[in-house]
Amino acid sequence: MTFVTKLTFQSGDKAVLDRVVGDLKQFVERKGAECRGPHADQPERKNVPQYRTLQPGDEFPSWSYTVYTRRIEIHGADHIAREVGHKEFPDSVHVEIEVEQKKPLGHRRN
């Protein structure tokens, strides 16, 4: 059975995000694993209301920021994916890791 490790990176700092994802892709490819991506999602614009007091009513202008997302998939090479999962990333980059088990074609469930 093959494992696919899916990594999702999000940050408000596009330059840092692109550097982290680019460095990670180079690392995975140097180790000889198959890496797909990075795939970019549309930037997502967020607005957060800011209140002057704890009571509803008087507000400051909303705080607006953009979240950028990149996705990478590592196919097979479980030891490399495990190594990636233990890497340190900048605090400004949020990382989610999902592992999916792929069964060969024609495989029957018991």
Side-chain angles (χ1 to χ4, degrees), residues 5-63:
T5 305
K6 298 177 179 182
L7 297 116
T8 303
F9 300 87
Q10 292 182 318
S11 180
D13 189 337
K14 186 176 185 279
V16 170
L17 180 66
D18 289 339
R19 181 180 48 79
V20 166
V21 171
D23 291 349
L24 184 65
K25 181 176 175 76
Q26 287 179 352
F27 169 79
V28 170
E29 289 175 342
R30 270 195 319 264
K31 294 280 190 169
E34 180 185 350
C35 184
R36 294 187 185 163
H39 305 288
D41 292 350
Q42 280 288 84
E44 191 175 338
R45 191 84 180 139
K46 303 278 187 174
N47 290 306
V48 180
Q50 299 184 89
Y51 299 99
R52 292 183 188 271
T53 66
L54 295 177
Q55 304 301 321
D58 201 15
E59 293 183 24
F60 290 110
S62 292
W63 177 47

